[in-house]
Amino acid sequence: MTELRGIGASKGIQIGKAFVLQSPNLSVKEYKVNNIDDELVRFEKSINQAVNDLEKIKSHVEKEIGEEHAKIFSAHLLVLQDPELLNTVKDKIKFEQMNAEKALQDSANQFITIFESMDNEYMKERAADIRDVSKRVISYLLGEPLVTTSDITDEVILIAHDLLPSDTAQLNRNYAKGIITDIGGRTSHSAIMSRSMGIPSVVGTTNATETIKAGTTVIIDGQNGTVIVEPSEEEIKYFKGKMEKEQEREEQLKQLINQPSVSSDGHQIELAANIGSPKDLNTVLENDAEGVGLFRTEFLYMDRDRLPTEEEQFEAYKEVLSTLDGKPVVIRTLDVGGDKDLPYLNLPEELNPFLGFRAIRLCLERDDIFRVQLRALLRASVYGNLKVMFPMVATLEEFREAKKILLEEKANLLAEEMAVNDDIEVGIMVEIPSTAVLADQFAKEVDFFSIGTNDLIQYTLAADRMNENVSHLYQPYHPAVLRLIKQVIDAAHAENKWTGMCGEMAGDEVAIPILLGLGLDEFSMSASTILEARHQIRNLNYEEIGRSIEDILNKRTNIEVESYIKEHFIK
Ligand code: PEP
Ligand code: MG
């Protein structure tokens, strides 16, 4: 037995066989070949292997995930039949005696450069297809076959260095019983995705992909952040017992479906869900969310290799709004940059990405991208109760500029005789201390606030949310953070506006009593924690906590606050 420790990112226990997702080393060297015919045969063979692979993946994805997602593989298969590309490679082998992998890499790059320079979305997509496909063929030529999440056809515990959005797009959620990664923290995107999919996960283990061999039995405990490799019979028995208890607890919590989220003395709040894609809607419905408090739209941009079109976005927003059937849906405009890269935008490398060109800063600069999203949102607004939210707002000018562009696009759509809901609230995320401090001024202009504590904590304590070396300084209950939160809620209430929270803190057992006492109106969290939060809130007394708030805010340290809450408000 080996035990690995990481960060519990999504609760739940699972026992299963490990599936290790490893990126092979695909660096290509050039050499002269002596036998040209043999090299041509080697090339043909790798093409056939790639075709076989892609056909298998395509039919698997079609069956398990949906035809829409399988289209990309049809496009990839077409690349493998393209005579122009294939002949260019063969000519290099024949006339330059170049080895097949180098010949393919050079030829692919030639085509990619031409297609990417064209001002045509379709050709740009072809460039991305060629890049993907040539990688697959090269992997065969080098004898390092690619493993992707679409190769998973059985129930497994998935082990990966990190999980990219493209990996999750191809993942069958019924097969991945648990996720373990080498890197990341509680608020890294693989953690957020596993929570929204309701799959137990442990992130930041440092060396899971090195330590765990494919096929070995693994126990994952997403609550405690532990991973047990090759457990003994006794350990398996112990964890099975724990799993049964968890299941019983889940069954009990189901009784709270359709019950109000109200404290024992009658103070009502809203419990909403955070989602990253329409695929998360099932968990939202199953857990009886009262709305969507954060739709992280960047995942629509990250699980592909080009910008999503207005139509694609419109369809996604429409699906979420209509499924929620009139319940509030807060959709956040694009938040990339920081740890969320969009390689196809070729954003400049930055020394401090979290303080750099991200989110609303990027959207205001690249308003061509921003306007497409706003049009899609406005068009979808007639299908439900849409609220638009801008991320990473640091100044009032940014909010005003973003809102101005939104209103311009609304006017454009109306001029095109398109229907737009007339009643869309426009709010901001409060994630930057300057905005929290100036909340009284912002509250006069915005319709609502949603506090993004994942970022607000890192900026307040200057402790990078991804950096394990400073994770002890990433303190959610630090009185400075709590005071900022109070200031934001009070400022909104003074202007009759509402405040939500969509950072992880909103679903945290220790934070919930404090946030309730501070008067937070909406708590938005991963759907799988909603019923647990409802249970907790129904057993808390709002008035009683209200009387303790001053004491709590006068504590001096994170740990003092935590101990106080545990002692007084957690049974
Ligand atoms: C936050 O910062 O709290 C937040 C919800 O946004 P993200 O985690 O996507 O940065
Ligand atoms: Mg944020």
Side-chain angles (χ1 to χ4, degrees), residues 15 156-157 201 268 276 318 388 484 515 538 545:
I15 305 176
V156 294
I157 308 282
S201 84
Q268 178 128 19
K318 176 178 158 191
V388 175
L484 285 177
L515 299 172
R538 289 169 65 89
I545 306 170

Side-chain angles (χ1 to χ4, degrees), residues 44 85 150 162 189 252 514:
E44 291 288 349
L85 175 68
S150 53
D162 191 16
H189 283 81
Q252 275 173 358
I514 310 174

Side-chain angles (χ1 to χ4, degrees), residues 189 192 294 296 298 332 335 340 358 429 431 451-455 465 502-503:
H189 283 81
I192 288 168
L294 168 65
R296 289 185 162 93
E298 56 272 18
R332 170 172 87 182
D335 181 3
K340 296 172 265 188
R358 59 174 289 203
M429 293 199 62
E431 327 181 66
I451 308 175
T453 45
N454 301 345
D455 279 317
R465 66 195 252 189
C502 56

Side-chain angles (χ1 to χ4, degrees), residues 19-24 26 50 53-58 60-61 65 72-73 76 132-133 135-137 139-140 144-154 156 158-160 162-172 175-176:
F19 181 97
V20 186
L21 196 69
Q22 241 155 358
S23 335
L26 295 184
D53 249 13
L54 287 170
E55 276 172 349
K56 259 197 249 152
I57 298 173
K58 182 172 160 244
H60 170 70
V61 173
I65 306 174
I72 178 91
F73 300 106
H76 286 187
D132 261 28
V133 173
K135 201 166 126 191
R136 186 173 290 279
V137 179
S139 79
Y140 273 111
E144 297 262 8
L146 282 184
V147 182
T148 69
T149 46
S150 53
D151 293 309
I152 303 176
T153 50
D154 222 337
V156 294
L158 177 61
I159 324 283
D162 191 16
L163 215 54
L164 303 175
S166 55
D167 298 321
T168 11
Q170 293 174 36
L171 186 67
N172 182 327
Y175 290 155

